[in-house]
Amino acid sequence: MKRFALIIFFIPAFIRAQEPTGKEILERIDKNMAYKSAITTSKMVIHGSRQTRTIEAKTWGIGDEKAFTEYLAPAREKGTKMLKLEDQLWIYSPGSDRTIQISGHMLRQSLMGSDLSYEDMMDNNEMIEDYHATVIGSEVFEERDCWIVELQAKTAEVNYQIRKIWVDKIRYIPLKEELFAKSGKLLKRMELSNITKIDNRWFPKKMIFKDMLKRGDGTEFIIESIQFNVNIPEYIFSKASLKK
Amino acid sequence: MIRFLFKGLLRDRNRSLLPVLVVTVGVALTVLAHCYITGILRDSIEFTARYSSGHVKIMTRAYAENSDQVPNDLALLGVDELISNVQDDFPDMEFVQRINFGGLLDSPDKYGETKKQGIVSGIAVDLISENTKETERLNLAGALRKGRFPEKPDEVLLSDEFAEKLEVNPGDPVTLISSTMYGGMAVQNFVLAGTIEFGVEFMDRSGMIADITGIQNALDMQDACGEILGFLDNPRYNDEMAMQVEQTFNNKYADPDDQFSPVMSRLKNESLLSGFFEMVDMFSGIIIFVFILAMSIVLWNSGLIGGLRRYGEIGLRLAIGEEKGHIYRSMIGEAVLIGIVGSTIGTLIGLGFSYWLQEAGLDIGGIMKNSKMMMPSVFRANITPPAYYLGFIPGLFSVVLGTMLAGIGIYRRKTASLFKELET
């Protein structure tokens, strides 16, 4: 009887020992989501108030510092290019033949009318760098056991001060995210699906974004192809490439 | 009795002239202040109507619900046909297209890269078609500081302050970065034709006026616009007439099940203005109340002085046997006559000045360091029905009240001491 009582006493401690900390979860997520370099072909399906638009783009990226995107379709957007170098963003529009730097409040504006902002697009930081994480519970989401992790921003410069993420307990990939302002107001909601194993990492190939302050039925971001850790020539990330 | 008192007032000018003059001046000032304040507030409403809301405004139902966000993705489509139809329905009115837009305005350096940029808040109106009245309606001629008006769809006007911030002059290129009505990115080059002064702080910080065709091209809004403003025949807003137009239009065109069906709202129902009309009435009421109160104190005092000045006369009348009540009543009767005569003359003078201010207006342009702006520099009075009777409140009641208070002293006089008082 004494032995039985001892087992009962130690079971919760044993379970707690198996439960990863928020920091460990973020490290595992970053292993899946962050990359040194990648070339992505993607499709953005924007469900607006009046119509649905599909925008196709190809992006070359190195870590969270450099990214170059060329829009391939539709005709009105074709040839538009964006260059991100650290926290600066330039846009080239073939119609006006102008290279324009986007800064300040404009970075919070919608990207091509989607539910993503320029800041969202530019944000590829590892979460562990920007947030303190606390596991606040667990829940089944889309038939997967998930940790619910609350993230609190370490600095005021981070786009979203509070995030709540539902992390797959097996694959360590977020399946759902809620992004909040400092006041606690829900700003955006994301759902990540079509989780695929690519080069020994789990990666979501479909993300649905919903800007809670915007009309419309959200934006689907679909990755059609992605290659990780490829060599990308340095000249791509130059302002000269924008006009080519 | 009245005739007797009136004769007494006419023949003894010492008794009547000063009180009548004081009442006349006070009442004239009250009437003038009322008309002028009402006029200024009405001018502000008219400015809002001309600039942003029209006497009536047509939008889609969804746009109207989110109008504070200027949601061009919810704009009206097929506007040429719609305007043609409403013009047939209301032939005395004028309907014009407007697009409000926002975004970033970028000025390039000699290499075509960003030199300066800033958030822009713009309004697109018909600037270049042959019969447009928009230039006059927005008082652009009076607001132009540099350059000229746009003559082509790709020419724009910027606020003088904003142009300085962007370091651009007439003839220089600027690029608008905004969203098309379908959510796409809009990047369009324009040429700065001229600069203006809006006279409204936030518009002077970031304002832009462009031709409607140029903005329709830039924002992919061909045959579309955010709002159609309707103006009644009379430049002064008439809520009753606007309400009739609103009801007729909504009965014919509005569909409660279609968020993109056109709906009309009148100036008084505009979200930003709904409270303003009540505020104007309340504010005008408060100002007039304070003014009337001040005038009442002056006139009341005049009544009191009148009563005291006639101390000796009252003593004599008591001494020869006139009843105290009779003296009191006759003094009040005289005060009523003075009040009526003074208020009538004062109201006529006040209305005369108000009429002159209504027609000619008061040009404050000279006080404003020769600045030219869209805000009207000439303020006009507005004669409203209350102006005809409002002056009688301080004019009549306060003189009578003053006399009544001063007259109480009559009952305190003792007959025994009257002769002693008269001897001194």
Side-chain angles (χ1 to χ4, degrees):
Chain A
M1 186 64 192
K2 256 186 186 175
R3 189 175 293 168
F4 180 72
L6 212 62
I7 289 167
I8 292 290
F9 181 78
F10 278 110
I11 278 175
F14 177 75
I15 289 170
R16 276 200 298 277
Q18 293 301 303
E19 186 179 293
T21 63
K23 192 182 170 198
E24 284 163 355
I25 292 174
L26 287 197
E27 282 169 350
R28 299 282 296 268
I29 293 171
D30 285 337
K31 265 188 190 172
N32 278 320
M33 302 288 282
Y35 48 80
K36 279 183 185 165
S37 68
I39 299 174
T40 315
T41 309
S42 61
K43 212 158 68 173
M44 203 156 61
V45 185
I46 304 160
H47 301 282
S49 311
R50 270 206 163 105
Q51 58 170 223
T52 293
R53 297 161 56 236
T54 302
I55 295 172
E56 290 170 27
K58 187 171 182 180
T59 302
W60 293 257
I62 294 185
D64 61 338
E65 286 152 13
K66 297 175 185 176
F68 182 88
T69 302
E70 180 174 0
Y71 289 88
L72 310 170
R76 197 179 163 97
E77 325 288 357
K78 191 177 177 180
T80 300
K81 292 167 191 163
M82 289 187 191
L83 171 66
K84 174 207 160 184
L85 294 176
E86 297 193 345
D87 56 353
Q88 291 184 299
L89 180 72
W90 289 269
I91 294 178
Y92 172 74
S93 149
S96 63
D97 193 26
R98 286 283 324 272
T99 301
I100 293 154
Q101 188 174 359
I102 304 288
S103 56
H105 287 296
M106 274 304 283
L107 291 170
R108 292 187 192 147
Q109 298 296 310
S110 160
L111 168 73
M112 299 273 177
S114 70
D115 290 59
L116 282 88
S117 67
Y118 294 107
E119 275 181 342
D120 292 335
M121 190 201 71
M122 289 167 72
D123 183 19
N124 191 31
N125 282 7
E126 290 189 357
M127 284 201 279
I128 195 82
E129 287 176 17
D130 292 338
Y131 293 97
H132 296 291
T134 317
V135 180
I136 57 168
S138 65
E139 196 177 276
V140 174
F141 178 75
E142 296 288 329
E143 296 174 4
R144 305 285 305 183
D145 265 346
C146 294
W147 304 114
I148 305 173
V149 184
E150 190 177 272
L151 310 182
Q152 295 279 350
K154 289 177 180 173
T155 62
E157 283 78 47
V158 177
N159 296 348
Y160 303 101
Q161 288 296 302
I162 305 164
R163 290 166 84 152
K164 203 167 153 187
I165 55 177
W166 281 251
V167 185
D168 187 323
K169 285 183 179 178
I170 308 293
R171 299 179 296 192
Y172 283 92
I173 203 89
L175 300 181
K176 182 179 163 187
E177 277 198 46
E178 287 178 346
L179 312 172
F180 300 86
K182 199 174 182 179
S183 63
K185 187 178 173 66
L186 178 62
L187 299 175
K188 280 182 190 162
R189 183 172 283 145
M190 277 167 68
E191 283 183 20
L192 301 89
S193 58
N194 199 1
I195 312 295
T196 313
K197 189 123 192 178
I198 308 168
D199 297 347
N200 288 325
R201 67 166 83 206
W202 292 104
F203 200 81
K205 291 187 84 175
K206 184 176 177 184
M207 295 165 221
I208 300 171
F209 293 82
K210 177 73 189 97
D211 184 336
M212 307 310 284
L213 311 177
K214 195 171 178 289
R215 289 173 300 279
D217 298 322
T219 297
E220 291 174 54
F221 187 84
I222 300 158
I223 293 173
E224 296 201 310
S225 72
I226 186 163
Q227 296 169 264
F228 289 111
N229 302 326
V230 284
N231 284 326
I232 302 170
E234 195 59 34
Y235 73 84
I236 289 208
F237 305 104
S238 68
K239 281 201 264 179
S241 303
L242 288 167
K243 286 199 176 189
K244 276 183 186 166
Chain B
M1 176 71 179
I2 294 169
R3 207 172 153 195
F4 172 76
L5 290 174
F6 197 65
K7 271 187 179 171
L9 286 171
L10 282 176
R11 286 173 185 171
D12 182 2
R13 288 196 181 161
N14 285 332
R15 254 196 306 175
S16 57
L17 190 63
L18 185 69
V20 167
L21 275 178
V22 172
V23 173
T24 301
V25 171
V27 169
L29 284 174
T30 306
V31 171
L32 186 62
H34 165 75
C35 293
Y36 193 55
I37 290 163
T38 311
I40 288 174
L41 294 172
R42 290 277 164 94
D43 277 347
S44 309
I45 290 172
E46 279 306 315
F47 176 75
T48 309
R50 289 198 305 272
Y51 187 72
S52 64
S53 62
H55 292 153
V56 292
K57 189 196 275 191
I58 305 169
M59 299 164 276
T60 64
R61 183 177 299 282
Y63 187 104
E65 282 164 10
N66 300 281
S67 58
D68 52 330
Q69 296 169 25
V70 196
N72 282 328
D73 54 328
L74 307 173
L76 288 160
L77 295 176
V79 288
D80 291 340
E81 191 189 343
L82 182 61
I83 287 182
S84 164
N85 290 342
V86 287
Q87 201 66 73
D88 289 344
D89 294 337
F90 310 103
D92 294 336
M93 291 183 68
E94 192 193 345
F95 291 92
V96 295
Q97 297 180 42
R98 295 275 178 93
I99 297 172
N100 295 308
F101 60 93
L104 192 71
L105 200 67
D106 185 283
S107 65
D109 61 14
K110 60 182 177 182
Y111 305 107
E113 290 192 19
T114 300
K115 176 173 67 178
K116 293 274 175 184
Q117 61 179 211
I119 302 282
V120 65
S121 172
I123 170 172
V125 300
D126 180 4
L127 287 176
I128 57 175
S129 76
E130 206 175 320
N131 299 318
T132 182
K133 291 182 191 165
E134 293 283 72
T135 315
E136 186 191 337
R137 186 172 285 127
L138 295 175
N139 189 26
L140 290 179
L144 193 68
R145 294 287 298 267
K146 283 185 208 160
R148 55 170 174 77
F149 290 132
E151 290 164 0
K152 296 178 198 159
D154 66 345
E155 292 182 333
V156 295
L157 295 169
L158 284 186
S159 86
D160 204 54
E161 191 183 324
F162 193 34
E164 269 181 32
K165 187 183 155 198
L166 295 179
E167 296 176 7
V168 286
N169 283 304
D172 289 346
V174 285
T175 306
L176 172 72
I177 301 109
S178 187
S179 298
T180 68
M181 76 172 284
Y182 302 104
M185 180 182 276
V187 182
Q188 184 81 27
N189 292 333
F190 289 96
V191 175
L192 179 65
T195 68
I196 52 171
E197 187 164 334
F198 288 88
V200 180
E201 197 197 339
F202 94 98
M203 286 303 287
D204 276 322
R205 213 167 42 228
S206 59
M208 169 171 164
I209 294 186
D211 180 64
I212 192 103
T213 322
I215 292 300
Q216 281 172 329
N217 291 338
L219 306 186
D220 203 5
M221 292 180 77
Q222 283 77 17
D223 200 18
C225 72
E227 300 163 354
I228 296 172
L229 306 190
F231 295 92
L232 298 165
D233 204 15
N234 189 335
R236 285 271 177 213
Y237 175 68
N238 180 332
D239 190 51
E240 208 174 305
M241 207 181 278
M243 192 163 67
Q244 278 177 9
V245 173
E246 181 190 45
Q247 282 172 352
T248 312
F249 178 92
N250 287 338
N251 287 339
K252 187 171 177 183
Y253 296 97
D255 175 1
D257 298 325
D258 179 5
Q259 63 166 338
F260 294 111
S261 80
V263 286
M264 183 182 274
S265 74
R266 65 187 199 276
L267 177 64
K268 200 173 179 179
N269 281 356
E270 271 295 292
S271 59
L272 292 172
L273 282 173
S274 54
F276 189 66
F277 275 85
E278 280 76 22
M279 199 188 79
V280 164
D281 288 343
M282 191 187 75
F283 202 57
S284 160
I286 290 171
I287 292 169
I288 288 156
F289 175 75
V290 169
F291 197 78
I292 286 174
L293 196 71
M295 281 317 301
S296 297
I297 291 165
V298 172
L299 296 176
W300 176 358
N301 210 25
S302 150
L304 274 170
I305 291 165
L308 294 172
R309 211 155 39 82
R310 295 169 65 187
Y311 191 79
E313 178 207 323
I314 291 161
L316 185 65
R317 285 167 70 176
L318 284 170
I320 59 174
E322 193 174 347
E323 269 180 48
K324 285 177 178 173
H326 186 265
I327 297 172
Y328 189 64
R329 282 193 298 277
S330 71
M331 281 179 71
I332 291 169
E334 281 176 19
V336 170
L337 284 175
I338 287 167
I340 290 172
V341 171
S343 300
T344 308
I345 300 169
T347 301
L348 287 172
I349 294 172
L351 286 173
F353 275 111
S354 301
Y355 181 74
W356 174 71
L357 272 178
Q358 184 173 276
E359 295 305 308
L362 187 67
D363 192 348
I364 57 163
I367 310 167
M368 296 156 85
K369 296 176 189 167
N370 296 324
S371 69
K372 292 174 167 185
M373 54 175 67
M374 280 171 69
M375 278 287 278
S377 62
V378 178
F379 286 104
R380 296 173 191 280
N382 183 213
I383 299 174
T384 55
Y388 293 100
Y389 58 81
L390 203 83
F392 283 82
I393 299 168
L396 189 59
F397 289 101
S398 47
V399 175
V400 173
L401 208 66
T403 310
M404 283 167 82
L405 279 172
I408 293 168
I410 295 168
Y411 292 97
R412 293 194 185 136
R413 307 278 292 267
K414 287 181 181 151
T415 321
S417 58
L418 278 175
F419 286 100
K420 206 182 232 177
E421 283 174 21
L422 287 169
E423 278 168 12
T424 54

